[in-house]
Amino acid sequence: HDLQGLNFNLSEEHLAVQEAARDFAQTELLPGIVERDNAQQFPTEQVRKMGELGFLGMMVSPEYGGGGMDTVSYVLAIEEISKIDPSASVIMSVNNSLVCYGLEAFGTEEQKQKYLIPLASGQMIGAFCLSEPEAGSDATSQSTTAEDRGDHYLVNGTKNWITNGGTSGVALVIAQTDREKKHRGINCLIVEKGTPGFVVGKKEDKLGIRASDTHSLLFTDVKVPKENRIGDDGFGFKFAMSTLNGGRIGIAAQALGIAAGAYELALKYSQERKAFGKAIFEHQAIQFKLAEMATRIEAARLLVYKAARLKDEHKDYVQAAAMAKLFASDIAMWATTEAVQIHGGYGFVKEFHVERLMRDAKITQIYEGTSEIQKLVIARELVR
Ligand code: CAA
Ligand code: FAD
């Protein structure tokens, strides 16, 4: 797993994507961000523009209306957008790396025509529904059922914490068909919004990423046609795990962006704020904080780019993705806390943005597999 042979030189195309994302974040996401966070207001107009600019289906083949870009381009965009607005980047991450990727990699041609094309262009947003009230980390313990009724499945159960839950036009729903077969009896079904019996439940009131919408989804005798199953019968759990391997690179990039965004604000502030007759940057205690932040963020960046590069090179990236997410999410939590400290009292109020990034950072240690689960994944790979 060393870096040998991995070329981190970014191409002209990579730099152009990075710049486009940076501009978009500054001009479209920064205005109104404090208000959206306060009001838990979904960035509808901003997400529509993200779709127009190609940020919602970046890696999808142009054949299905996507950008046909590599994973490195994707993490560069997520990183830039997360420096400003991690709520927008989670909406983007779920749509790109869980929903679009899952459909493109494992869906049928008919499923791609019907669902991937509108999802890749952002005409429609997708949700990925694995977690349940009683099954988060322990994801094989599914209570939601998808009973085989011949030409359709009958879905019953509750999904929890679903990102894009209230806004999605389509949901990928993991459910148990044959309990005796345990995780090999689980399926993933594509369920359209408006299907009778499919109801959007409570919206969560959250610590961070407050402008993203997180809902429970309720399924009561929902009839889903057989052609909406992804992969063979019993492939659903493998589908979820395989998709999450790539999703974790997106969340690692989100965490990296949060850390880097807070660091950039703190560096600037430290050169402007004066105490004891000089800029606080001139106090070595503050310089050392920034030096350490810059170093750890760079280390996180290398792990994130490495995982992305491995995926692009079709090499095994399971462990690299877990390491990137584990490390970058810890750096996000730590660096945002330091950024608040460097801002002093101003860091504690909303206008200076770092308190929001600190609140937003926390979730990166929890979703798409908690830090403890990433360690479990890494440890299993050590002896595989
Ligand atoms: N990649 C591919 N396949 C994998 C895999 C991986 N990383 N991890 C496990 N599998 C496969 C195994 O090969 C096995 O299949 P076979 O028996 O057919 O070989 C099957 O999955 C079951 O694996 P285990 O026996 O290891 O299962 P386990 O119950 O001991 O542990 C786990 C599995 C790794 C802990 C898993 O449950 C897990 O990842 N939990 C975390 C769930 C999670 O990440 N949820 C995120 C929800 S989405 C989200 O959060 C989105 C968002 O916020 C924005
Ligand atoms: P639990 O699994 O109950 O874990 C509680 C604690 O126990 C954690 O610290 C955990 O690490 C630890 N733990 C559990 N098992 C072990 C073990 N074996 N070894 C060591 N420690 C362990 N899910 C989706 O499916 N789709 C989404 O779009 C989605 N979006 C989300 C958005 C938000 C804002 C939030 C908060 C959650 C979202 N989730 C989503 C759910 C998220 O993936 C789960 O919350 C997460 O996987 C943890 O599950 P849990 O909350 O049930 O915690």
Side-chain angles (χ1 to χ4, degrees):
H1 289 284
D2 65 15
L3 296 177
Q4 224 179 0
L6 283 170
N7 177 7
F8 283 97
N9 289 334
L10 299 178
S11 67
E12 290 294 318
E13 286 83 0
H14 288 140
L15 296 175
V17 170
Q18 187 180 44
E19 198 183 324
R22 190 178 295 151
D23 284 353
F24 178 76
Q26 283 294 336
T27 56
E28 303 289 346
L29 295 173
L30 188 55
I33 194 161
V34 174
E35 292 73 18
R36 292 198 301 277
D37 175 69
N38 276 337
Q40 300 210 80
Q41 187 196 331
F42 188 84
T44 308
E45 188 52 23
Q46 292 81 351
V47 170
R48 191 185 63 72
K49 286 184 181 158
M50 280 166 98
E52 279 174 11
L53 290 170
F55 287 126
L56 294 178
M58 291 183 70
M59 295 173 290
V60 174
S61 151
E63 193 188 338
Y64 301 108
M69 289 180 220
D70 61 8
T71 316
V72 171
S73 302
Y74 172 61
V75 299
L76 289 167
I78 292 262
E79 181 183 343
E80 290 305 321
I81 286 172
S82 306
K83 283 181 183 175
I84 304 289
D85 191 348
S87 289
S89 71
V90 73
I91 297 162
M92 180 180 160
S93 180
V94 166
N95 202 67
N96 275 280
S97 45
L98 298 181
V99 183
C100 286
Y101 172 82
L103 278 168
E104 186 162 23
F106 304 109
T108 62
E109 187 53 35
E110 290 71 28
Q111 290 168 351
K112 291 179 199 177
Q113 292 294 335
K114 192 167 177 192
Y115 301 109
L116 183 57
I117 292 176
L119 284 162
S121 68
Q123 233 177 299
M124 184 164 87
I125 301 276
F128 179 87
C129 316
L130 175 64
S131 306
E132 299 186 346
E134 306 292 332
S137 303
D138 188 6
T140 62
S141 305
Q142 294 287 311
S143 296
T144 300
T145 53
E147 207 183 307
D148 190 335
R149 290 286 184 94
D151 65 339
H152 67 273
Y153 288 100
L154 199 64
V155 180
N156 279 288
T158 302
K159 291 290 168 183
N160 241 26
W161 318 111
I162 304 305
T163 301
N164 299 341
T167 42
S168 58
V170 75
L172 305 187
V173 181
I174 314 292
Q176 189 84 44
T177 296
D178 186 341
R179 203 161 292 286
E180 278 182 11
K181 291 185 183 156
K182 298 183 176 158
H183 67 268
R184 292 186 185 151
I186 289 173
N187 281 310
C188 177
L189 307 176
I190 307 168
V191 186
E192 291 179 22
K193 182 181 190 169
T195 309
F198 172 18
V199 173
V200 176
K202 168 171 143 269
K203 177 171 172 166
E204 304 295 345
D205 185 359
K206 308 193 295 288
L207 173 73
I209 57 163
R210 286 171 56 80
S212 73
D213 74 331
T214 315
H215 285 262
S216 55
L217 298 180
L218 317 171
F219 300 86
T220 311
D221 290 338
V222 180
K223 276 172 86 169
V224 182
K226 270 266 167 79
E227 65 259 27
N228 279 25
R229 185 185 73 212
I230 299 182
D232 293 337
D233 185 29
F235 180 66
F237 194 71
K238 198 80 185 167
F239 168 84
M241 291 296 112
S242 307
T243 305
L244 279 166
N245 289 328
R248 287 167 185 163
I249 302 176
I251 300 304
Q254 181 191 42
L256 167 64
I258 293 172
Y263 159 77
E264 286 173 12
L265 290 170
L267 178 63
K268 185 162 178 284
Y269 185 79
S270 72
Q271 291 165 295
E272 293 162 358
R273 177 70 175 173
K274 291 195 171 53
F276 298 92
K278 55 187 176 185
I280 58 167
F281 183 81
E282 301 303 327
H283 296 290
Q284 201 175 50
I286 300 293
Q287 266 181 24
F288 277 18
K289 278 189 194 300
L290 288 155
E292 222 176 312
M293 285 161 86
T295 306
R296 293 197 202 176
I297 289 167
E298 192 62 10
R301 184 171 286 120
L302 287 176
L303 285 176
V304 175
Y305 291 9
K306 174 185 168 177
R309 207 51 115 182
L310 286 173
K311 183 163 179 284
D312 286 336
E313 292 177 2
H314 307 290
K315 293 178 180 156
D316 189 343
Y317 60 92
V318 174
Q319 189 186 51
M323 283 181 170
K325 183 181 182 287
L326 173 66
F327 190 76
S329 60
D330 282 353
I331 296 306
M333 203 58 234
W334 170 80
T336 52
T337 309
E338 289 293 75
V340 170
Q341 191 69 15
I342 291 169
H343 278 75
Y346 294 95
F348 205 67
V349 300
K350 301 208 168 187
E351 289 78 5
F352 286 76
H353 302 297
V354 284
E355 67 79 35
R356 189 186 64 255
L357 289 170
M358 181 177 152
R359 287 186 285 106
D360 288 349
K362 184 60 204 171
I363 192 62
T364 65
Q365 296 174 318
I366 296 173
Y367 59 19
E368 298 209 16
T370 62
S371 293
E372 290 75 15
I373 293 304
Q374 304 311 321
K375 288 181 202 177
L376 211 132
V377 172
I378 294 163
R380 284 179 184 184
E381 293 292 314
L382 294 178
V383 291
R384 194 162 64 94

